Structure formats: C-alpha cells, structure tokens
Amino acid sequence: MTAGVDLGGPQTQAIGSDEDVVRVRQLVRTVAVAVKLSLVDQTKLVTAASELARNTLIYGGGGTAEVTVVEDGRRRGVRIVFADSGPGIVDLGLALTDGYTTGGGLGLGLSGSRRLVDDFDIQTAPGEGTRITITKWSR
Amino acid sequence: MERVPVLKIGDILLVSIQIDMSDQTAVTLQEDLAERIVATGCHGVIIDITALDIVDSFVGRMLSTIASISKVLDAETVVVGMRPAVAITLVELGLSLNGIRTALNVERGMELIAATRDDDLGYDDTPGDVESATAATSP
Amino acid sequence: MALTADGGNRLVELLTGHGERVVQRWTEVVAASLRGRLSLAELRLQVQELHASMINAGGAGLADLQVPAAGELRAVLADLSRSRARQSFTATETAVSIYALKDVLVELAETDGAELSLRDVVDFTGLVDRMGLLTFETYVQTREGLIADQAEQLLELSTPVVKIWDGVVAVPLVGTLDSARAQVVMERLLQTLVDTGSPYAIIDITGVPAVDTQVAQHILKTVVAARLMGADCIISGIRPQIAQTIVALGIEFGDIATKASLADALRHVLRLTGVEASRRHPRREA
C-alpha cells in the first residue's frame, strides 16, 4: 500500500565518527518526510536521533542506527534502533534524569529525547552494551 | 571537514550556518569566532540559524558557549532566525539556551546589538530622541 | 452459495441479451427511489456505466469481485458511491441504486421468460448484495474523509492569528482548547511571528471557558518557544475562575506578562516599543 515512495526494508547506518552522526540525521529526515510526519514531528524525531546517535558514539564507543518504517493499521511511523556493545549503563534511573551526565554534555540526551518521541525503550546492562528503540507515529 | 564562514559587516561579525554541522565543525566555529572577535575588535556577533532544521543539545551548548566567550571579549551575541519547529523541539527537549539573546531576523538582531551598545555607552533617553527615532525606524 | 464463473457467464449473457431493457428498467427503479433528486439522463448514464462494467468483468470477474478482471466494476461502484456521498444522499439511497438490479432481474425472469433457475436467482442476488456492500464501504470512507476535512477547516477557522499593530500579532482564542488545537495554535502563532517579523504576540484567552494543566502547559511552552525565537508573548483576558484554577493547579506563569484585557496588553506592548524606540536612537556617530 506504499505506492509511490519505495520505503523498502530497514536501512542501517554505522556510527563510528562525527560525520556518521550527520548521516544518521539525514537518513532519519528522509524517511520521516517519506512517511509524511508533520514538520514539527520530523524535527523532534531528527533531534532525538541526533542526541542518541551521539550517545552511541561517545558512550557506546560506536555502533549502528537502524531505521524502519512501521505500520499499526491506522497510521505509519518511523522506528529507529540504536545499538552499541559499549560498557552499558549502570544506573538507568539516574541516566534518564534531566541534567545528569558522565560525559560533560548537558545531560539532556536520554531524558530529552525520550520526551521527543512517542515510544522509547531501552535495554542495557553493565558490560553488555545498550540498545535503544524509539518510534514516532504520524498523526 | 567543512567550515562555517565568518563575515565582518561594520562593527558586527555575521555567521550564517548553512550546513548540517558535524560536532567537530561546531567546535571549530566556536574557536574561529573567538579569534575573529579579538582580531577585528568587533562588539557584536550575529549567528543566523535560519537554515538549520534542527538544533540539538550539542549545538545548543555551542551557542551558549559562544555567547559566554564573546561576553568575556566584550561582544554581544544574538542568535537569529530560529524556526518555529526548532523552538518547539528545544522546549520539549528541555533546552532553555540560558544567557543567549535571540531575535527574529538579522535586521532585528542588529537593532538589538545597537540598542545594547547604546545602553552600555550610557546614552540617556530624552523625549526628543523618542520622536526622531520613531520616525527613523518606522517603515 | 457463491456465484460460480459459469453462473457469472450466464448473468453476462442475460445482461447482454436484454441490454436495453435492463438499463431502462434499472434506471426507472433507481429514479423512483431517489424521487427526482437526480435527472433521468444522469441516472441513465450511471446505470449504463454499471451495466457495461459488469459485462466487461465477465463471468470470472462477477464470481469474485476481488480479481483484476473486476477492477473496472469496482472503480465504477466506488465512483458512484463517492458522488452519492458528496451529494448528501443517504447510505440507503446509495445502496438502493445497486439493489435495484435484483428487481430488474426478477422481472426479466417473470415477464420476459428469461431462463433462470432458482439457483441462478439466489446466486445473482448474492452478487448484487456484495456489490452493494462495496458501495457502502466507499460511502463510509468518503463521509469520514469529509468529516476529517471539515474538522481541519474548523480548526483553521477557529484559530485566526491577526496582526494588530506594526510588530504585534494577536491570537484571540475562542472555545475549548484541547491538546490538538493548542498545538495548532502554537505552531501558527510562531510561524506568523516569523512571516510578519513581529517581536510581540498577544494571546487573548477571554473566550476560553476553562484551562486545565495541559492547556496551561501548552500556553507556557508557546511563550518559551517564542522567546527562543526572539519574540515576547503577553497573555490577556484571564478570567477570575481561570486565575483561580491556575493558582490551584500550582502552575507557574513565572515572569510571563499577563494583562486583564487585549487593550491593556496592546497598551503594554506599545509602551515597551516606545521605550525601545528611544533607546534605539542611532547616536553612535555623536
């Protein structure tokens, strides 16, 4: 039913450098436009993706972002999975608190991007890497 | 790596960010600006972000840092042209851009800098001034 | 008992063989049900199109309306129900245009001596029922689309953003503010600030009957977003009950300017710009 734009399957972008974070933003923007998210929702999703891609790079030591178009019958959305095999997060509750940071940033990456998307799921354990899944639905 | 050009117009340095900056580009811009403020002796910096379709916490922090650095170097920084979708996203993200002055467009930004400099230089407001200024600024 | 391809073929023969009579009677039956709200000529064209597309679908197409052979028939049925829905005919009036074919077929069997077994009649009416259901679905979809469009137009109409002075825009909010509408207001206001280059916005909530936490949050976020863009918002027309709610809910309006009326807010802004104008006096050359 996705006549016109071929959204294909999941698209994966490796995150290993600064420039890759930019590429993740551009990939997410393209898919968000194709799914017809509103301008504000596009902006929120791309911003969240930028925060999380940077986290993957800085705290996870690099990893991947996988962008997929999802459908739940009534509406379509964009799902992004950020995965790294870094040290993981020890205290998740603390990491999700506004203003908490171990990396010298503003501490808004995790907590802030959670507010920008509709679904936010995080799986992590010390020594086992981190896997964050976010979804934004069209209205 | 791409570089963001810094233009000198009269007493003001104008930075118009036209590209999707990598974090490194942002840091370089911050350093370039500090050097140019000292080298030119300019007292105002206008950062035009009309073309930016997102501002994440990293760029937000860069803007705050530039504002603080320029303050130390006796220059006023104004960020102009933020898009509505970007502003809405920043509010949701929880980024308040404390200490940054903003204006709708470059023209308003220049007025703001001029007004601040006048204040700093201690010009007093006399009724006659109101008259002539209103005439001068109305279109 | 579903119609088979053979049965479909027999129906096609019947429709072809008695072509003119079928179209004639079908048109008459539909015309009677619509009581002159569509002209006979127009109805006849629609019926002719239906008739032709049924024949084109062939036996296999009529046996299963989902196959490609029935594509034209499905499109004609959808077109018909869309136009009926737009012209405000009821769902029944729309479906009757299809069900009329049953009467015509029975008449054919009774008066014109068409060879129809009981099984054929049951199968044919089953097909007509399925065609009717198709029109019903399209009808509902079209109406839902119309309702959604109107809701959107209403939203646009109910949130005008107007320029009331050089550099000052106002949004008079009227009616209940839900989250969706508050969001539309927010985006339109901010966009208008950019488009008009206005550094001041007045949000007048005189016409808003109640404010809950969510709506107050939306207004607050709008004000903060406007500040990030370099514009100031003033909230006017806060009624006593709303002021009490705001305080009772513990919502902090912080340093946001609030004024009793739109006029007070405008006066406030003009005073601000007046002061600014005097400061903006270009005397640096002195």
Side-chain angles (χ1 to χ4, degrees):
Chain A
M1 286 294 169
T2 57
V5 195
D6 177 25
L7 298 162
Q11 302 183 62
T12 306
Q13 170 67 51
I15 304 173
S17 71
D18 252 15
E19 274 75 25
D20 288 340
V21 176
V22 177
R23 286 188 196 105
V24 170
R25 286 203 289 260
Q26 285 160 354
L27 173 62
V28 173
R29 164 81 58 185
T30 313
V31 177
V33 169
V35 174
K36 298 203 174 70
L37 291 188
S38 74
L39 182 60
V40 171
D41 284 345
Q42 284 174 31
T43 310
K44 286 181 177 174
L45 181 65
V46 176
T47 308
S50 181
E51 299 290 340
L52 296 175
R54 185 177 296 109
N55 279 1
T56 302
L57 179 66
I58 296 174
Y59 301 103
T64 56
E66 191 189 85
V67 186
T68 323
V69 175
V70 285
E71 223 163 347
D72 77 344
R74 287 184 307 120
R75 51 196 188 156
R76 294 205 291 165
V78 183
R79 173 166 297 155
I80 317 171
V81 180
F82 297 89
D84 66 59
S85 41
I89 299 170
V90 181
D91 188 339
L92 193 56
L94 196 56
L96 285 168
T97 310
D98 263 0
Y100 176 80
T101 178
T102 57
L106 292 171
L108 289 170
L110 276 187
S111 55
S113 44
R114 183 157 72 161
R115 284 192 292 269
L116 295 178
V117 295
D118 297 317
D119 303 325
F120 184 97
D121 177 64
I122 179 163
Q123 290 169 356
T124 183
E128 286 173 24
T130 304
R131 188 182 163 87
I132 298 177
T133 308
I134 58 173
T135 312
K136 188 98 192 158
W137 296 101
S138 63
R139 267 166 241 291
Chain B
M1 192 193 69
E2 291 177 277
R3 256 185 136 87
V4 178
V6 179
L7 309 173
K8 180 177 180 296
I9 299 172
D11 192 30
I12 287 172
L13 292 178
L14 176 65
V15 183
S16 182
I17 304 174
Q18 298 287 341
I19 53 165
D20 192 345
M21 291 188 294
S22 72
D23 292 358
Q24 188 52 49
T25 308
V27 171
T28 310
L29 170 61
Q30 191 178 304
E31 292 163 0
D32 282 355
L33 254 178
E35 272 170 35
R36 289 293 299 275
I37 293 173
V38 174
T40 59
C42 283
H43 293 294
V45 177
I46 291 180
I47 304 178
D48 180 12
I49 60 168
T50 312
L52 284 193
D53 51 22
I54 72 154
V55 169
D56 62 10
S57 63
F58 194 90
V59 173
R61 186 158 57 124
M62 172 203 80
L63 295 174
S64 287
T65 311
I66 288 177
S68 305
I69 292 175
S70 60
K71 197 110 203 161
V72 173
L73 297 172
D74 191 25
E76 193 70 35
T77 299
V78 181
V79 173
V80 306
M82 185 184 291
R83 298 184 186 181
V86 171
I88 292 171
T89 302
L90 281 178
V91 172
E92 212 66 57
L93 189 63
L95 209 60
S96 52
L97 298 188
N98 277 331
I100 297 183
R101 311 191 65 178
T102 53
L104 287 172
N105 48 43
V106 174
E107 203 182 342
R108 296 262 178 205
M110 292 174 103
E111 286 173 9
L112 192 59
I113 288 176
T116 313
R117 295 303 295 172
D118 284 358
D119 279 354
D120 284 358
L121 297 176
Y123 291 126
D124 56 349
D125 303 324
T126 57
D129 288 339
V130 180
E131 283 287 323
S132 56
T134 313
T137 51
S138 54
Chain C
M1 203 85 67
L3 186 71
T4 60
D6 278 347
N9 282 331
R10 276 199 295 283
L11 181 54
V12 171
E13 271 172 37
L14 197 65
L15 292 174
T16 321
H18 300 79
E20 185 43 40
R21 177 146 174 78
V22 170
V23 171
Q24 182 60 33
R25 282 300 295 145
W26 194 347
T27 310
E28 285 166 15
V29 177
V30 176
S33 74
L34 297 182
R35 278 179 242 105
R37 286 166 66 194
L38 277 179
S39 75
L40 263 183
E42 197 176 345
L43 276 178
R44 194 181 166 82
L45 269 179
Q46 289 176 349
V47 168
Q48 266 170 344
E49 222 184 338
L50 272 171
H51 178 252
S53 67
M54 283 181 77
I55 292 170
N56 289 345
L62 293 179
D64 180 357
L65 292 175
Q66 296 311 314
V67 299
E72 185 198 337
L73 175 56
R74 288 200 304 273
V76 170
L77 286 170
D79 274 352
L80 177 79
S81 40
R82 262 198 292 274
S83 75
R84 289 278 198 285
R86 293 227 174 80
Q87 292 165 341
S88 303
F89 284 95
T90 65
T92 308
E93 285 167 330
T94 306
V96 161
S97 303
I98 308 300
Y99 291 147
L101 178 58
K102 287 187 195 176
D103 296 353
V104 177
L105 289 176
V106 171
E107 270 181 35
L108 275 185
E110 284 177 346
T111 61
D112 294 41
E115 292 275 316
L116 281 178
S117 67
L118 180 61
R119 171 69 189 278
D120 279 341
V121 173
V122 172
D123 286 352
F124 291 172
T125 52
L127 166 70
V128 174
D129 286 342
R130 283 198 301 281
M131 285 166 54
L133 283 178
L134 267 183
T135 62
F136 202 82
E137 267 171 38
T138 317
Y139 181 90
V140 171
Q141 274 172 16
T142 310
R143 296 296 277 210
E144 274 175 0
L146 279 178
I147 292 169
D149 285 353
Q150 284 171 353
E152 202 170 305
Q153 285 169 5
L154 205 62
L155 207 59
E156 299 254 308
L157 281 177
S158 60
T159 54
V161 181
V162 288
K163 182 174 173 179
I164 55 170
W165 203 271
D166 234 13
V168 189
V169 298
V171 216
L173 293 178
V174 177
T176 313
L177 270 184
D178 58 7
S179 217
R181 198 176 149 216
Q183 207 155 344
V184 172
V185 175
M186 178 163 169
E187 286 171 28
R188 287 189 51 160
L189 172 61
L190 298 180
Q191 191 55 52
T192 311
L193 292 178
V194 175
D195 295 344
T196 60
S198 307
Y200 293 98
I202 300 173
I203 304 174
D204 185 76
I205 59 171
T206 312
V208 178
V211 168
D212 61 10
T213 321
Q214 241 192 339
V215 170
Q217 288 297 345
H218 271 296
I219 295 177
L220 285 179
K221 282 179 184 171
T222 310
V223 175
V224 178
R227 272 192 196 160
L228 282 175
M229 292 167 51
D232 268 323
C233 291
I234 294 101
I235 299 170
S236 70
I238 303 182
R239 295 189 295 151
Q241 306 96 299
I242 291 181
Q244 289 188 18
T245 319
I246 289 172
V247 174
L249 289 172
I251 298 161
E252 274 296 331
F253 264 58
D255 55 348
I256 296 168
T258 51
K259 293 286 166 234
S261 68
L262 187 59
D264 283 348
L266 181 58
R267 196 172 301 126
H268 172 74
V269 171
L270 290 180
R271 197 176 304 135
L272 281 181
T273 48
V275 170
E276 265 198 0
S278 69
R279 281 188 186 158
R280 217 184 286 140
H281 183 48
R283 271 176 55 174
R284 266 167 306 151
E285 69 275 6

